[in-house]
Amino acid sequence: MKRKHILISALLGMGLAFASCSDFLSVDKYFNDRLNEQKVFAKKDYSDRWLAALYSNLVNHQADVASKGYIMFNFSDDMYCGDRGNRYRTFKFGEYDENWFNDSYDQCYMSIRDASTMIQNIDINEELSKEEIADYKAQARFLRAYYYWLLLRRYGPIPLLPDEGLDYTASYDDLAVPRSSYKTCAEYISNELALAAKDLPLERSNREVNKATRGTALAARAKVLLFAASPLNNGNKDMAELVDDEGNCLIPQEYDEEMWAKAAAAAKDVMELNRYSLYVAPFREHDVNHGYPATIVPPHNDEFSDKDWPEGWKNIDPFESYRSIFDGDIRPSDNPELIFTRGANQTQENCIELARHQFPSSLNGWNTHGISLKQCDAYYMNDGTDMPGMNNYMPADYPNRDNRERPKGYVTREDVEEGRYKPLSEGVYLEYANREPRFYASVAYNGSVWDMTSLNDENMRYKQVFYYRGQQDGMRPSAPEFWLRTGIGVKKYCNPQDAFVKDGNPAGWEGHRVIDKADPSIRYAEVLLIYAEALNELDGSYTIPSYDGSKTYQISRDVNEMKKGIRPIRIRAGVPDYDASTYADKAQFRKKLKRERQIELFAEGHRYFDLRRWKDAPVEEATPIYGCNMNMTEKYRDLFYEPYVVPSLPTVFSKKMYYWPIPHQELKRNRRLTQNPGWTSFD
């Protein structure tokens, strides 16, 4: 009976109260049928199924990277979706309520319950070795902590559930659990991830690539501590109104610089594993075909052009190095950069769906996911300088604004024949010329070429796509949803071998093929960026133990250490490292670091949360979205490229949008829960 009471308490403590006696009896049956530990945890097969179910709940509402069917967090000021316009407007205007796309709260706590059940019972297994039992328990501990992290990132401070110590026969009001402070939540999750890491293996077999490893737990820990150190959650007096049921403030009101040191040390733990590295593709001498072109060599740089990776880019292909991480050309098991992924297991909202929504209509895609002009401008020129006129349409006080005139003119046939402006084709606007490789791997600019090398019909390969009004991929009355509001599309996650079929199998599409794409939930580039960002914020020096206490790190704002975070990412991208003056200036480096994350981590679900943790959302999310003037036909192409405010893409930010509202039903079930500021509380 005691074990049953533990189960029931977990259900109650997570807000899953019972509306009637029949609900209680269904839990009793649930216990007898599913949670009889002698049947489940004593056997390997049943334990494997239990663990698999824990992982399976990381999809849909608990995704990190996905299309818009269950989460909207891939869409911020950088990327938008044009279809399901009412949903997008509701999201961007903050007009959603406690019940809108909000199953995550309930589902995460159910998974936390199931993870706790496994942690408490897996020791009885009769078919696993002690090492295997330790691994299973560590995986469950990681998953429990990760579900807590998904809650904390979305909702802010949350209830942490005690394993023991409550009288589970008490009334519902007595069993209610209040929200813990943000710092308490972050420290608990951090400690649990460190504990899990001690028993998780450093590597797994190819068949287990989606399972947690030591690096997975440690990298997640670095993310948790980075958020805890950030302005939103560290000394934020603007959040004094976020309180528990007794009026205690849940956001630390005093700034604690050491939190940055802890985040840096956590990232260092991952780096010290010597398990991960940035993926690089080798230099390609010749075109394999149009989809896999010869390496475009960056402009000469005295420091990097003549050195091999990792000191330079002489022997790598910066474009392919970045593109292949996302488009499925390298398997997850072969990618040294991939730390955690759900693989292609995100049901109908996976990275394939991102690609499908990015493909043009003329190529059987949905043609609805696009990029803001702000994001387009963020990418550097191929020599590492800013694009002339970057953000010059923004208000005068907008950061990262360049007052120069923007490039004008178009690529001519002679330019193409002479090999100028690669990889641009004839008719492409020169604003898109001479940009860094990550731009060409991510941005579907007007006139870019879509390859589809797998098609049998050669006439349908290598299609140049324009978004002028009246053209098949431009604004058309016959397709009110399926056109790019800014005239700038997305190439990230799209593979040159992809060929989507819509409404049957049209003639010429016999080669239909779509490459599986593993979602990049956590990759090593992010860990390096965490390290550099955290170090930059320090004034003092701190002694921080490693996750397992085996050593200590001296953490301070050391420029040589900061370069370990930024320099490899820049070199891999084929652009020079920052100059000495940038590294010497904390504010300037912070500005550059934010932009580096905006570029490197684009369309991976980071920007939405980054803008909030930095407290930049009131400016960035409320600044109008600019793009090309989609009312213009090709005849008026010069006007097409004049920066234009897109009226159908709303830009609003209010304080309540820092955190998601807690579901109304959870406030009813747990009387000690409090609602986030700005949202309607249960009365």
Side-chain angles (χ1 to χ4, degrees):
M1 285 298 293
K2 180 180 179 182
R3 181 65 192 87
K4 188 191 300 186
H5 288 161
I6 292 174
L7 166 65
I8 295 170
S9 73
L11 292 168
L12 291 173
M14 284 172 256
L16 304 177
F18 310 114
S20 66
C21 181
S22 62
D23 287 337
F24 186 96
L25 292 175
S26 68
V27 171
D28 187 56
K29 182 177 185 299
Y30 178 91
F31 174 83
N32 289 327
D33 289 350
R34 185 183 175 201
L35 285 183
N36 186 323
E37 56 266 32
Q38 298 301 322
K39 293 181 179 179
V40 176
F41 295 108
K43 301 298 181 182
K44 181 181 185 302
D45 181 57
Y46 292 155
S47 297
D48 284 340
R49 294 183 191 182
W50 191 279
L51 186 59
L54 279 177
Y55 278 105
S56 70
N57 288 337
L58 282 175
V59 302
N60 301 336
H61 296 280
Q62 282 70 252
D64 280 314
V65 185
S67 192
K68 59 191 169 294
Y70 295 98
I71 62 170
M72 298 289 287
F73 301 136
N74 230 24
F75 306 98
S76 185
D77 66 331
D78 54 345
M79 183 175 174
Y80 63 88
C81 57
D83 58 334
R84 305 188 190 183
N86 290 337
R87 178 182 298 178
Y88 181 79
R89 290 175 66 86
T90 298
F91 173 64
K92 294 298 291 184
F93 271 134
E95 293 176 342
Y96 46 90
D97 59 22
E98 295 91 337
N99 299 314
W100 195 77
F101 281 82
N102 217 3
D103 292 340
S104 180
Y105 194 94
D106 179 62
Q107 292 176 3
C108 280
Y109 272 118
M110 290 175 64
S111 298
I112 289 167
R113 172 202 67 202
D114 288 349
S116 294
T117 299
M118 185 166 213
I119 292 169
Q120 294 162 7
N121 291 283
I122 189 62
D123 286 308
I124 70 171
N125 196 283
E126 301 167 351
E127 299 176 352
L128 296 173
S129 68
K130 289 183 179 180
E131 292 76 15
E132 289 173 323
I133 288 174
D135 179 26
Y136 279 48
K137 184 181 291 188
Q139 289 185 68
R141 191 177 300 278
F142 162 78
L143 288 165
R144 182 172 69 178
Y146 203 78
Y147 282 115
Y148 269 128
W149 158 239
L150 294 176
L151 290 166
L152 181 65
R153 183 178 64 174
R154 180 169 182 168
Y155 299 101
I158 49 173
L160 297 174
L161 307 179
D163 290 334
E164 298 179 2
L166 290 179
D167 179 5
Y168 300 126
T169 63
S171 67
Y172 293 160
D173 286 346
D174 290 337
L175 287 171
V177 180
R179 300 172 74 170
S180 297
S181 71
Y182 195 101
K183 188 172 184 179
T184 299
C185 292
E187 288 178 343
Y188 170 80
I189 297 169
S190 170
N191 292 337
E192 286 291 290
L193 289 170
L195 186 59
K198 293 177 183 179
D199 287 322
L200 287 169
L202 190 60
E203 297 185 25
R204 293 195 184 275
S205 68
N206 292 350
R207 296 181 61 185
E208 297 181 313
V209 69
N210 298 342
K211 288 187 175 181
T213 62
R214 190 178 310 161
T216 308
L218 295 180
R221 181 170 176 260
K223 289 166 67 84
V224 172
L225 291 173
L226 178 77
F227 274 62
S230 297
L232 179 63
N233 307 308
N234 187 6
N236 184 7
K237 297 187 183 301
D238 293 336
M239 275 289 178
E241 62 192 291
L242 179 48
V243 297
D244 66 12
D245 60 315
E246 295 180 346
N248 300 307
C249 186
L250 297 176
I251 300 295
Q253 296 297 283
E254 299 299 323
Y255 175 68
D256 182 2
E257 183 182 275
E258 189 177 15
M259 294 302 297
W260 289 109
K262 291 179 178 179
K268 186 76 169 176
D269 277 331
V270 183
M271 298 162 70
E272 289 286 300
L273 293 176
N274 295 316
R275 166 64 180 82
Y276 303 103
S277 60
L278 298 184
Y279 171 77
V280 291
F283 186 92
R284 186 180 287 132
E285 290 279 357
H286 306 287
D287 292 358
V288 175
N289 54 48
H290 196 291
Y292 296 89
T295 298
I296 298 175
V297 180
H300 183 79
N301 180 277
D302 290 340
E303 188 171 3
F304 303 109
S305 290
D306 299 324
K307 297 176 183 176
D308 287 341
W309 172 261
E311 300 302 322
W313 54 65
K314 179 182 177 181
N315 63 335
I316 68 171
D317 186 318
F319 166 79
E320 197 63 62
S321 295
Y322 187 77
R323 180 176 73 166
S324 295
I325 300 170
F326 312 103
D327 70 359
D329 266 345
I330 40 174
R331 298 181 303 173
S333 58
D334 295 331
N335 186 352
E337 185 169 347
L338 196 59
I339 298 177
F340 187 43
T341 180
R342 276 79 149 171
N345 299 324
Q346 289 289 22
T347 64
Q348 69 266 35
E349 297 301 326
N350 58 19
C351 293
I352 289 176
E353 281 306 299
L354 283 173
R356 188 189 303 273
H357 283 76
Q358 294 160 194
F359 255 67
S361 296
S362 61
L363 303 178
N364 281 336
W366 295 116
N367 198 36
T368 59
H369 287 181
I371 293 177
S372 64
L373 187 56
K374 180 204 297 185
Q375 177 67 26
C376 189
D377 282 6
Y379 292 92
Y380 290 93
M381 302 299 287
N382 58 7
D383 62 358
T385 59
D386 293 342
M387 189 199 81
M390 178 182 70
N391 297 325
N392 66 354
Y393 44 85
M394 292 291 194
D397 60 348
Y398 182 77
N400 292 326
R401 190 179 190 276
D402 185 316
N403 291 320
R404 292 176 292 171
E405 184 178 2
R406 301 171 73 85
K408 296 184 183 299
Y410 303 87
V411 176
T412 66
R413 181 173 300 177
E414 181 182 358
D415 289 330
V416 175
E417 292 172 352
E418 294 295 328
R420 290 189 288 268
Y421 305 127
K422 286 184 177 181
L424 272 57
S425 300
E426 183 180 357
V428 174
Y429 199 51
L430 291 180
E431 189 173 291
Y432 306 132
N434 302 322
R435 304 297 287 274
E436 60 154 296
R438 290 177 296 185
F439 175 88
Y440 297 114
S442 303
V443 180
Y445 51 86
N446 194 34
S448 61
V449 173
W450 295 76
D451 301 299
M452 299 178 301
T453 60
S454 66
L455 289 180
N456 294 336
D457 186 345
E458 294 185 5
N459 294 323
M460 298 189 70
R461 300 178 188 173
Y462 320 130
K463 180 178 177 62
Q464 189 177 17
V465 172
F466 289 97
Y467 300 113
Y468 296 116
R469 180 176 179 173
Q471 298 200 9
Q472 187 172 355
D473 298 296
M475 185 171 67
R476 294 177 297 142
S478 60
E481 285 194 329
F482 305 110
W483 56 280
L484 300 181
R485 274 46 176 180
T486 61
I488 313 168
V490 186
K491 278 277 184 79
K492 194 167 180 175
Y493 301 109
C494 297
N495 191 291
Q497 301 176 69
D498 285 341
F500 291 98
V501 169
K502 185 170 62 177
D503 301 328
N505 187 25
W509 289 85
E510 293 81 1
H512 166 64
R513 180 185 185 192
V514 181
I515 306 300
D516 280 343
K517 309 162 201 305
D519 75 305
S521 294
I522 308 177
R523 56 188 180 95
Y524 191 54
E526 182 189 355
V527 172
L528 295 179
L529 290 169
I530 290 172
Y531 188 58
E533 178 180 357
L535 291 177
N536 180 59
E537 297 300 331
L538 296 174
D539 290 322
S541 180
Y542 300 87
T543 302
I544 308 294
S546 62
Y547 77 99
D548 60 357
S550 62
K551 53 187 160 184
T552 58
Y553 305 120
Q554 286 300 127
I555 304 294
S556 63
R557 193 184 186 279
D558 184 323
V559 169
N560 289 328
E561 289 297 307
M562 291 162 61
K563 286 184 177 181
K564 292 180 181 179
I566 289 292
R567 196 177 180 90
I569 292 173
R570 302 278 293 176
I571 293 174
R572 195 260 298 270
V575 288
D577 191 12
Y578 305 142
D579 58 26
S581 63
T582 297
Y583 278 103
D585 186 322
K586 179 186 287 189
Q588 182 65 16
F589 186 87
R590 183 188 300 125
K591 183 177 178 180
K592 291 283 191 179
L593 182 282
K594 290 179 178 181
R595 184 173 171 189
E596 203 67 42
R597 285 186 66 97
Q598 180 183 359
I599 296 170
E600 178 69 24
L601 304 178
F602 167 68
E604 297 177 53
H606 293 278
R607 181 74 173 167
Y608 173 93
F609 294 106
D610 277 348
L611 292 180
R612 282 155 176 76
R613 70 178 178 87
W614 290 328
K615 296 178 66 177
D616 289 347
V619 172
E620 300 291 1
E621 291 276 32
T623 300
I625 296 294
Y626 281 81
C628 300
N629 189 339
M630 296 297 289
N631 291 301
M632 297 296 113
T633 62
E634 187 173 8
K635 180 180 179 181
Y636 301 100
R637 65 181 185 174
D638 288 350
L639 293 176
F640 178 89
Y641 294 104
E642 288 293 322
Y644 176 80
V645 175
V646 183
S648 61
L649 297 178
T651 53
V652 173
F653 187 83
S654 61
K655 187 176 180 180
K656 72 175 185 177
M657 296 167 70
Y658 275 115
Y659 287 121
W660 205 260
I662 293 175
H664 196 75
Q665 63 180 3
E666 304 302 333
L667 296 168
K668 293 172 64 178
R669 292 168 174 171
N670 185 347
R671 291 287 182 171
R672 297 200 64 184
L673 274 181
T674 53
Q675 184 58 279
N676 283 323
W679 300 101
T680 303
S681 298
F682 172 69
D683 185 2

